[in-house]
Structure formats: structure tokens, C-alpha cells
Amino acid sequence: MTTDAAAPWLIVGLGNPGPEYAGNRHNVGFMVADLLADRVGGRFKRAGRAQAQVVEGRIGPPGPLNRRVVLAKPMSYMNLSGGPVNALRDFYKVPVGHVVAVHDELDIDYGVLRLKLGGGDNGHNGLKSMTKAFGAEYHRVRFGIGRPPGRMQVADFVLKDFSSSERKELDYFVDRAADAVEALVIEGLERAQSTYNS
């Protein structure tokens, strides 16, 4: 039985598969996962029978703070993310407390990050599906996308690409979110929160 400290971390970028969704606000989790994969020098590959793509790697300095990570992008569509994530969790023997979901968050201003452990899903279908599959006590890196303008429906807003003005800063914010994930895994939640919860 692996102890928690030695167990790998499963970092899940939430999004929808397919080129038509690639630039959507709802796919910011995929964007962060792609950047983390670049950082560990890996390429996403289909994960056995799980409906997901994964990259295995390590983050952190050499020594006791070096962490084994599995980066994952569920290929099931957002509202069914829980099944593939739970299959990966079982396969890699990841405790729920070592799961990190990176996702878009409507109730936070664009580009602002909030890290937390557990809690509700706030109407986010990816989180809802994960919580149903294995409980709520996993970490979240919430990437603010702000509220829809005017009377635009939430579903339309999250499935639209970032605006041209948002795109000017998007790379910076995605980079910062990837830094926050690394800090969470290496230094723990409280230290990561003190640095990145703006």
C-alpha cells in the first residue's frame, strides 16, 4: 500500500475534446495541462482503456520535494469527466487528496486564481461529475473567467473563445496557473494559496 506522501499526484485539466472547443473559456484546464506537459517534456497519449490522455512525469527540485505526477485530459466531454478521472485514479493508485482539478470559474474575475481543497461544484459540470465519482475532497485550481456580459447565457459564454482583449493576457494567466499547480504539489496548499490566491 503506498503512503500518501509517496503516492503520485493526478493533475486533471478539465475541458472538452476536439478542435472546435480548443480555444473556449471552458477549456482553460486543458490549456494549463498542455503547458505543464511541455514543462515536464511529455506528450499526451491515450491512456489504456481510460477515456483520457495522459503524460507521466516529475515536477519539483531533485530530492524529497520531487513529485511524481500524472497529467490528464479527460476525453469524455466535460459533464462526464468523473468516470475517466476515477479510472486513472484507480490505475495509478492516487488518493483523492492527491487529485487536482484545474478548471474555469465564473464567479471569479478573469485571470484571478483561487486554490482550495474540497467544497461544492458551483454548477460546474466537470466538478459535479468528479464529485459524484469519488467525493469532493480533491484540490481545485480555479481559473477565473468572469461572468457573461449582459443577458448572455452561461452555457454560451463558457463555450465561446476568449475575447481578443482577453487573449492578450491569456498566456500569462495560463503560465501563472501552471506555476500555482506546481506550488500546490511541491509546497502544499497553504503556501500555494498565500502566493497565488489574489
Side-chain angles (χ1 to χ4, degrees):
M1 181 76 185
T2 358
T3 66
D4 264 19
W9 285 76
L10 177 58
I11 298 162
V12 182
L14 290 176
N16 286 308
E20 67 274 31
Y21 298 106
N24 288 180
R25 292 183 179 92
H26 222 19
N27 268 43
V28 75
F30 274 19
M31 296 173 197
V32 175
D34 285 337
L35 178 56
L36 286 165
D38 284 347
R39 289 183 181 185
V40 303
R43 295 180 62 129
F44 278 100
K45 297 185 180 70
R46 199 78 186 193
R49 283 184 295 192
Q51 210 179 349
Q53 292 184 350
V54 298
V55 168
E56 295 179 53
R58 300 193 79 89
I59 60 175
L65 293 179
N66 192 259
R67 304 279 187 252
R68 183 174 161 226
V69 296
V70 179
L71 307 172
K73 297 194 294 188
M75 293 285 120
S76 56
Y77 291 100
M78 183 69 88
N79 58 345
L80 299 171
S81 301
V85 175
N86 207 27
L88 293 173
R89 208 176 66 72
D90 285 346
F91 180 76
Y92 289 103
K93 302 189 171 30
V94 178
V96 174
H98 275 208
V99 176
V100 181
V102 185
H103 64 92
D104 58 306
E105 178 63 63
L106 286 158
D107 285 338
I108 303 175
D109 289 342
Y110 174 60
V112 173
L113 296 175
R114 290 273 190 280
L115 283 65
K116 67 183 242 186
L117 174 64
D121 55 57
N122 205 17
H124 193 289
N125 288 331
L127 298 181
K128 197 175 290 181
S129 179
M130 285 175 61
T131 297
K132 190 175 171 192
F134 51 84
E137 288 305 298
Y138 53 91
H139 290 86
R140 297 102 192 273
V141 173
R142 303 156 73 206
F143 186 112
I145 60 169
R147 300 293 304 181
R151 297 180 175 214
M152 187 189 286
Q153 293 296 310
V154 164
D156 295 333
F157 178 69
V158 299
L159 293 176
K160 276 202 169 4
D161 286 2
F162 286 100
S163 69
S164 54
S165 64
E166 287 170 334
R167 280 200 297 274
K168 287 177 185 153
E169 294 181 295
L170 183 59
D171 286 349
Y172 168 75
F173 288 140
V174 167
D175 195 64
R176 193 162 181 273
D179 290 346
V181 171
E182 291 183 346
L184 168 61
V185 169
I186 296 164
E187 300 170 17
L189 178 62
E190 284 185 15
R191 289 191 65 178
Q193 283 175 323
S194 69
T195 307
Y196 292 98
N197 277 19
S198 29

